[in-house]
Amino acid sequence: MTAPLHASPAVLALLALTGCASPSPPASTPPAPGAAAEGAAPPAELVLVNATVWTGAAGAPDAQALAVRGGRLVAVGTDAEVRRLVGPATRVLDAAGGFVVPGFIDTHVHFVTGGLSLASVQLRDARTPQEFAARIRDFARSVPPGTWITSGNWDHSLWGGELPRREWIDSVTPEHPVWVRRLDGHMALANGAALRAAGVSRATRGVEGGEIVRDARGEPTGVLKDNAMGLMDRAVPDAPPALVDRAVDAATRHVAEQGVTSVHHVGGWDELAAFRRAHAAGRLKTRIYAAVPLESWERLRDSVVAHGRGDDWLRIGALKGYVDGSLGSHTAAFEEPFTDTPDNRGLLVNTPDDLYRWVRGADRAGLHVLVHAIGDRANTLLLDVYERVARENGARDRRFRIEHAQHLAPRDLPRFAALGVIPAMQPYHAIDDGRWAERYIGPARAKTTYAFRGLLDAGARLAFGSDWFVAPPTPLEGIYAAVTRRTLDDRNPGGWVPEEKISVEEALVAYTRDAAFAEFQEASKGTLEPGKLADFVLLDRDLRRIAPETIRDARVLLTVVGGTPAYERRAP
């Protein structure tokens, strides 16, 4: 029988009926392939019919159905056209009018860290210092003494902006080193046990490109920012490989539930090794484009020469670097001081000379360069580096990326298109940071913050992602954010900086077609066209036909990767 996938509410009850053979098509449709003339196309393995299919291909109309064979799309068209490929063993799914889009591509995730975070203490929505401390206390009681408590992802803006201090948690974690980060990953809190384990004390010197926050007596409060975090990171024991492997599997399951079929992971070499283990064991269900640290470009160059760039499931060739810190940690590099801390313009995590040297070498080696820049000073500096390297190394299809491209000087908006630089942006951040950003940088600089509309109008290609673990890996929320710009506190019903809103279709392109372009894979994925990978998502409503404020209420019903369902929504 057909495995029905009706839109809500019936779909939830019927999704349990999966994996069954299809019935014969109705009499009004062409004969089944078994009765077709000799030489007809072989039957499809999977067919989806009765849908509204947004193919994502430029200028292409919507379709009704698609067919899959060998992990790739073999037909996209009307129900009648696609049903010609139904055979005795074909699985037919009835979408009941649901909305089908190419698999979402999240262009910026910390995949392993996100997976590990799913099993750690959850601090993101802790709204008072007391709740913050209580959650850490309760989690400490659930794990053996000596266990390091990490992740957390706290947000001090929820309780008024006061930075946490080790005194809040020392009394409830005497036997557990604690090293929990802010949600942006650019500062973290250590308790006394962790500071002792790392040898961080009043006598510890400051770190260039970072900060050890101290009290009036010069004692560390427990908060370390950006490069200073390395003092603690080196003391935290590595997660055992078995735990990392479980984190990869958990991350894969989690993103599939959100309709994500591919991710661009930014991390280290150990994480790449975990992806390779998962791939070798046949456990990868998410396609991964893995970036390693920019300063290790020579090692990556040699690895590509020796082993190639990978395949459709796991690819390498990308490098991730940093210019500055983050807005929430007051470490983003700005031309003018922060509005609320007039003696602070942020910091540079790496020197301009190092960035230039690394980018030049990586580009000459034919590698793909992705660099984090938040503040306007950082973005200008990085655009200058990219322009210089492109001029010196000569013309080629390099697709330099700026990760975040968060706060831009107006003069820099047209430079992205002129230089062919891709702004890899995370729209959820706009509705998150928009709650408090103007207190930090004022209304004038906010006008070109997360400038989606301005960049598109200037001719740039947007590539959207989440920055998970920093933000949830939920493209539907990202589309909602880009289209409405309504902040999470709902205090901006018309949108925060509303002139930077974009359309639903523009947001879909940034999560699919142009996201694939941002990893040199537009020939294989990002649109639903015959010959491309069979990565697609079924949603319970057409995002283009509903009130924008209801986009975040849409649900993923089915996620298919390579023609195989990776997630199917079940009845509650």
Side-chain angles (χ1 to χ4, degrees):
M1 65 191 302
T2 299
L5 289 170
H6 298 285
S8 58
V11 64
L12 301 182
L14 293 171
L15 267 168
L17 302 174
T18 58
C20 302
S22 166
S24 299
S28 60
T29 63
E38 186 177 351
E45 297 158 3
L46 174 72
V47 160
L48 181 77
V49 296
N50 195 16
T52 299
V53 181
W54 180 80
T55 68
D62 287 349
Q64 291 180 303
L66 50 82
V68 178
R69 187 190 313 115
R72 291 185 177 266
L73 296 169
V74 293
V76 179
T78 67
D79 284 346
E81 290 168 340
V82 170
R83 279 193 180 275
R84 295 190 182 103
L85 296 175
V86 172
T90 303
R91 181 183 177 190
V92 178
L93 302 179
D94 181 359
F99 188 46
V100 174
V101 298
F104 293 124
I105 301 171
D106 191 322
T107 64
H108 190 113
V109 299
H110 307 267
F111 205 57
V112 173
T113 306
L116 290 169
S117 296
L118 295 173
S120 189
V121 62
Q122 304 299 308
L123 300 173
R124 186 182 185 92
D125 58 348
R127 294 189 171 273
T128 66
Q130 294 76 23
E131 185 178 3
F132 174 90
R135 291 191 185 188
I136 293 176
R137 176 202 64 203
D138 293 346
F139 187 82
R141 290 173 177 171
S142 73
V143 294
T147 301
W148 279 76
I149 299 174
T150 59
S151 299
N153 304 332
W154 46 269
D155 180 0
H156 62 302
S157 73
L158 296 179
W159 59 73
E162 179 185 8
L163 289 179
R165 299 186 301 276
R166 61 178 181 167
E167 289 84 0
W168 295 6
I169 58 174
D170 274 352
S171 64
V172 297
T173 55
E175 299 181 283
H176 295 85
V178 176
W179 177 230
V180 287
R181 62 175 167 255
R182 187 182 185 274
L183 54 85
D184 62 6
H186 287 268
M187 63 176 166
L189 173 71
N191 69 348
L195 290 170
R196 289 190 294 274
V200 176
S201 68
R202 181 174 183 171
T204 302
R205 294 181 178 180
V207 176
E208 185 71 24
E211 180 185 357
I212 302 171
V213 179
R214 303 176 189 270
D215 62 20
R217 299 171 298 166
E219 294 288 345
T221 66
V223 171
L224 284 73
K225 299 184 179 184
D226 282 299
N227 286 354
M229 295 168 67
L231 299 172
M232 286 299 311
D233 289 338
R234 66 193 183 196
V236 181
D238 292 336
L243 181 60
V244 174
D245 290 346
R246 288 199 296 272
V248 172
D249 295 344
T252 291
R253 290 191 297 271
H254 186 61
V255 301
E257 292 173 4
Q258 319 308 323
V260 174
T261 58
S262 295
V263 297
H264 300 178
H265 164 81
V266 291
W269 287 90
D270 289 345
E271 293 163 325
L272 176 57
F275 299 148
R276 284 172 167 160
R277 290 195 299 272
H279 191 15
R283 296 189 350 260
L284 273 189
K285 307 300 179 186
T286 307
R287 303 189 195 279
I288 298 176
Y289 184 37
V292 292
L294 176 59
E295 58 269 28
S296 68
W297 69 268
E298 292 169 307
R299 179 179 175 184
L300 181 61
R301 175 200 61 197
D302 296 345
S303 180
V304 167
V305 169
H307 306 293
R309 293 178 183 258
D311 58 21
D312 289 330
W313 285 103
L314 177 59
R315 296 178 54 253
I316 62 172
L319 296 150
K320 163 72 182 306
Y322 289 87
V323 181
D324 61 346
S326 75
L327 181 68
S329 298
H330 282 78
T331 55
F334 282 96
E335 294 176 354
E336 300 297 331
F338 285 90
T339 301
D340 62 335
T341 54
D343 60 343
N344 178 21
R345 293 197 305 142
L347 55 81
L348 299 180
V349 173
N350 291 295
T351 69
D353 286 345
D354 280 343
L355 286 167
Y356 163 69
R357 182 165 47 85
W358 295 334
V359 172
R360 180 188 61 183
D363 184 63
R364 284 182 177 173
L367 302 173
H368 192 196
V369 177
L370 299 53
V371 180
H372 160 123
I374 299 288
D376 53 16
R377 178 162 59 110
N379 278 278
T380 297
L381 186 159
L382 183 55
L383 287 167
D384 289 346
V385 168
Y386 282 166
E387 183 173 16
R388 179 182 175 187
V389 168
R391 182 176 62 249
E392 293 175 353
N393 286 355
R396 76 175 185 88
D397 185 9
R398 45 178 50 88
R399 304 187 195 183
F400 282 149
R401 285 172 40 171
I402 295 185
E403 306 302 296
H404 312 303
Q406 188 166 325
H407 306 283
L408 302 176
R411 66 178 182 274
D412 282 335
L413 288 171
R415 297 183 69 194
F416 283 82
L419 298 173
V421 173
I422 298 169
M425 307 178 79
Q426 300 77 43
Y428 185 94
H429 287 335
I431 62 172
D432 191 355
D433 292 9
R435 295 173 295 126
W436 44 263
E438 289 190 33
R439 296 201 304 269
Y440 290 13
I441 60 174
R445 282 182 286 188
K447 293 298 183 184
T448 47
T449 290
Y450 302 108
F452 309 135
R453 176 84 272 144
L455 285 163
L456 281 178
D457 288 349
R461 292 176 183 256
L462 299 183
F464 277 170
S466 68
D467 202 10
W468 187 47
F469 63 95
V470 177
T474 49
L476 290 174
E477 286 187 288
I479 294 168
Y480 165 85
V483 172
T484 71
R485 294 183 70 100
R486 295 173 62 140
T487 52
L488 295 176
D489 56 13
D490 285 327
R491 292 184 179 177
N492 296 271
W496 178 61
V497 194
E499 56 269 29
E500 292 299 337
K501 295 178 185 178
I502 61 176
S503 71
V504 168
E505 189 147 351
E506 287 168 331
L508 284 170
V509 167
Y511 268 115
T512 57
R513 186 173 77 218
D514 284 354
F517 181 87
E519 59 165 311
F520 294 90
Q521 289 297 291
E522 68 274 18
S524 295
K525 58 186 176 183
T527 60
L528 298 177
E529 301 175 86
K532 289 196 173 183
L533 295 166
D535 299 351
F536 58 90
V537 179
L538 173 64
L539 306 176
D540 68 350
R541 64 200 76 181
D542 187 337
L543 304 182
R544 304 165 301 174
R545 308 284 184 256
I546 59 176
E549 61 270 18
T550 67
I551 292 172
R552 61 181 168 181
D553 300 325
R555 294 289 178 265
V556 173
L557 303 180
L558 174 72
T559 302
V560 173
V561 188
T564 300
Y567 167 73
E568 296 183 63
R569 186 174 175 85
R570 301 288 180 176

